[in-house]
């Protein structure tokens, strides 16, 4: 059971993905972990960390964009 971003990144089989994930801010890592490792919805994450659902969505989208840019095609 993954509870924090460092545990989530340790589960990556792709080293390039782990490096790209490590380059994200802590907040971005936390939101990606809560969303994709623990399957929480944006509104649930927002309540947990005390921000708006829109902020969660914006932060998640920026993090995903950074990850896509850091990984080569098919990466």
């Amino acid at each position: 059971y993954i509870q924090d971003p460092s545990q989530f990144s340790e589960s990556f089989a792709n080293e390039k993905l782990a490096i790209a994930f490590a380059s994200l801010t802590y907040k971005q890592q936390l939101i990606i972990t809560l969303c994709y490792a623990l399957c929480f919805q944006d509104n649930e994450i927002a309540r947990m960390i005390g921000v708006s659902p829109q902020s969660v969505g914006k932060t998640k989208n920026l993090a995903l964009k950074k990850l896509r840019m850091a990984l080569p095609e098919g990466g």
Side-chain angles (χ1 to χ4, degrees):
Y1 181 68
I2 295 169
Q3 296 180 351
D4 66 53
S6 63
Q7 287 180 312
F8 187 41
S9 66
E10 289 171 8
S11 72
F12 298 154
N14 184 321
E15 186 179 341
K16 290 178 182 176
L17 177 58
I19 292 168
F21 185 80
S23 75
L24 300 177
T25 66
Y26 178 76
K27 187 174 182 180
Q28 290 170 334
Q29 290 179 4
L30 179 62
I31 288 173
I32 293 295
T33 301
L34 291 171
C35 184
Y36 295 104
L38 300 174
C39 301
F40 286 106
Q41 298 294 317
D42 287 1
N43 59 342
E44 296 170 311
I45 296 170
R47 279 195 304 271
M48 285 184 222
I49 64 174
V51 299
S52 70
Q54 292 83 2
S55 176
V56 170
K58 214 171 164 180
T59 302
K60 180 174 65 176
N61 289 337
L62 180 59
L64 292 173
K65 182 178 179 181
K66 283 183 177 181
L67 291 174
R68 277 189 220 104
M69 290 177 63
L71 296 172
E73 276 296 315

